[in-house]
Amino acid sequence: MRAAVVKTFGGPEAVEIVDVAVPEPGARQVRIKVAAGAVNPVDLALRAGLFGGSGEPLGLGWDVAGTVDAVGEAAAWQVGDQVVALAAGVTAPLGTHAEYVVVPADAAAEAPATVDAVHAGTLPLNALTAIQALDLMELAPGASLLVTGAAGAMGGFAVQLAAHRGIKVTGQARAADEELVRSLGATDFTTEGLAPASVDAVLDAAMLGEPALESVRDGGVFVSARPGGQPDSVRGVRTTAVMVSADGARLAELARLVDEGVLTLRVAGTYGLDEAAKAHARLAGGGVRGRLVLVP
């Protein structure tokens, strides 16, 4: 089968399409015939060498939508099931940007019924990161939240999920994105920060750091979207970061929210697997609204 990997770190030209053996599922694993998978900033970071590596080829891709093709022992799925899954990891020899991928059975969820595979392939990584970040905050309905990078994929999901929970959301993004951010459920909008100590919490999807922290009230909470990216605590503010993890049960909840119209899946463009380097170059150029999706 074909798969996108990096053997040496660098720019988009470092992405290679190689022929490798089709992986076999072990106990409590499933093999998915990949229909689509989004390209995310984490793929660009891996390609550039920000996570290091052992010198062996590293697979690209975390998101997958497709069809269960084979099941291992004690895997509660059937061949032919339509699923989405998160294959989390930055040093694996194969990722989801391939024709087939093996994931733990409990990382998969039934795909949303109301969208195609290309759109479903944008859900796992960014929506799971958003909901797990909100869980860290433990905000009650009526609380106030600033989401930086609210027009981005993860930030957009965070705005929708928080609004669905009854949280008052202010979205931060470029001025040109105000209509989009408000359409996602933000009641307020800013291109900068907010007044000091004005919100209960910040979800820092844009990784602004300390300038965004200033907007949190004394004793509030700040969550960075980058592991280890949170600033030091000040004024009693609890600062932490979200480390996304695969969770099929939570992903099934998110898929249901797609079918209920709570979550919007945004596709900015599609590329064949052989065009993976082009997708990397476009994402690296910035300004993409929605996700670029590889279709093997």
Side-chain angles (χ1 to χ4, degrees), residues 117-290:
V118 170
H119 285 80
T122 69
L123 180 68
L125 174 60
N126 290 286
L128 278 171
T129 303
I131 201 168
Q132 290 172 8
L134 291 173
D135 289 346
L136 288 173
M137 294 180 176
E138 300 179 331
L139 297 177
S144 56
L145 169 68
L146 170 66
V147 177
T148 71
M154 194 280 267
F157 283 137
V159 170
Q160 291 186 306
L161 289 166
H164 184 62
R165 294 181 177 189
I167 296 166
K168 182 181 178 182
V169 181
T170 298
Q172 179 274 332
R174 299 184 308 178
D177 291 319
E178 180 173 0
E179 183 178 352
L180 167 63
V181 172
R182 288 187 181 276
S183 75
L184 296 173
T187 55
D188 294 296
F189 179 84
T190 180
T191 58
E192 306 294 337
L194 296 177
S198 60
V199 292
D200 296 312
V202 166
L203 199 173
D204 191 18
M207 277 75 81
L208 300 182
E210 291 183 1
L213 177 63
E214 294 177 3
S215 298
V216 184
R217 66 166 172 79
D218 295 359
V221 61
F222 177 103
V223 176
S224 173
R226 183 176 65 198
Q230 70 271 26
D232 293 336
S233 174
V234 294
R235 299 180 286 102
V237 175
R238 176 168 61 91
T239 63
T240 187
V242 60
M243 175 74 79
V244 68
S245 60
D247 185 337
R250 211 65 196 278
L251 187 54
E253 176 187 343
L254 292 165
R256 288 193 295 271
L257 291 176
V258 171
D259 288 337
E260 292 170 6
V262 174
L263 293 181
T264 303
L265 303 180
R266 295 178 285 152
V267 173
T270 59
Y271 293 80
L273 184 59
D274 291 337
E275 299 176 302
K278 292 182 180 179
H280 275 240
R282 182 176 172 193
L283 183 59
V288 176
R289 291 295 173 258

